[in-house]
Amino acid sequence: MAAAQGRLSDGAGGMDEAKDTENGGREADSAPLPFRAAVDALRAARLRPRIEVEPTPAPKRLAPYSYALEAAVVDGDQDLADGRLVLLYDPAGHDAWRGTFRLVTLVRAELEPEMAADPLLPEVCWSWLTGALHTRGLTYGEPSGTVTRASSHYFGGLSARPAASQIEIRASWTPREGVGGVPDTAAHLASWCDLLAQIAGLPPAGPGDASIVTLPQRRGPQSR
């Protein structure tokens, strides 16, 4: 699986290199009960087909406890989109989060240059994130993020390569805590996978999702 690389923002001004990690932050089995329950729900979540999810090392300086997953929307042996989702937990709470949990994500996909030039694309991509959460009835607070589009043009010995454009969503939000102070992380993961599928150009998961607008003019899948 092609893991999303780069920096992840915790929504509170703190930044951490994705490579500066340790397996699962502190070991989940020795963490406080709310964090263990939230991680267990992530591990047990049932997700839509064509999305492969697996644990990945988590940032270790964003919060006392963290757990991370990487995912890819696959088509055979090729990726249509990929991303990374990090669950942060601070038992003492965090003023900027307004809670004890925080979800942080990086999602990216290749686009056709014509689609990347659409001036409304950033707003549309952000609405996909918030819409995915709302569609599943999730309550959250303090959303923060950026939508970035980049283009690469090749010259000289690389001039045979076609121009490439990429969209990237970086975001964080505070999930509402439920019974025992534990948010419904499985539902948040499912919403995040809905976002991945949408940016990859997959059709809605079911007839009830017909209002979701998928990304047109997707660039061909990338080799894994």
Side-chain angles (χ1 to χ4, degrees), residues 171-199:
S172 62
W173 64 95
T174 299
R176 180 181 179 182
E177 297 171 10
V179 178
V182 182
D184 188 352
T185 50
H188 281 271
L189 175 57
S191 293
W192 180 69
C193 287
D194 291 341
L195 170 65
L196 266 178
Q198 196 165 3
I199 200 171

Side-chain angles (χ1 to χ4, degrees), residues 117-202:
D118 187 336
L120 296 179
L121 184 64
E123 289 79 5
V124 170
C125 288
W126 182 255
S127 73
W128 289 345
L129 170 62
T130 57
L133 294 167
H134 291 154
T135 295
R136 292 185 179 270
L138 294 170
T139 303
Y140 60 94
E142 306 306 315
S144 179
T146 62
V147 176
T148 303
R149 50 187 167 186
S151 298
S152 298
H153 300 267
Y154 301 94
F155 302 93
L158 300 177
S159 60
R161 295 186 183 182
S165 297
Q166 185 180 75
I167 192 73
E168 183 178 86
I169 303 172
R170 300 171 185 265
S172 62
W173 64 95
T174 299
R176 180 181 179 182
E177 297 171 10
V179 178
V182 182
D184 188 352
T185 50
H188 281 271
L189 175 57
S191 293
W192 180 69
C193 287
D194 291 341
L195 170 65
L196 266 178
Q198 196 165 3
I199 200 171
L202 295 188

Side-chain angles (χ1 to χ4, degrees), residues 8 10 20 34 39 45 53 89 91 114-115 118 124-125 142 154 157 176 190-191 197 199 206 216-217:
L8 292 171
D10 66 353
D20 183 14
V39 170
V53 179
Y89 178 64
E114 295 81 4
M115 186 63 187
D118 187 336
V124 170
C125 288
E142 306 306 315
Y154 301 94
R176 180 181 179 182
S191 293
I199 200 171
Q217 298 182 343

Side-chain angles (χ1 to χ4, degrees), residues 23-46:
N23 289 328
R26 298 184 185 181
E27 288 297 328
D29 293 341
S30 62
L33 181 58
F35 181 71
R36 297 204 311 266
V39 170
D40 286 345
L42 289 174
R43 292 171 172 167
R46 298 183 62 184

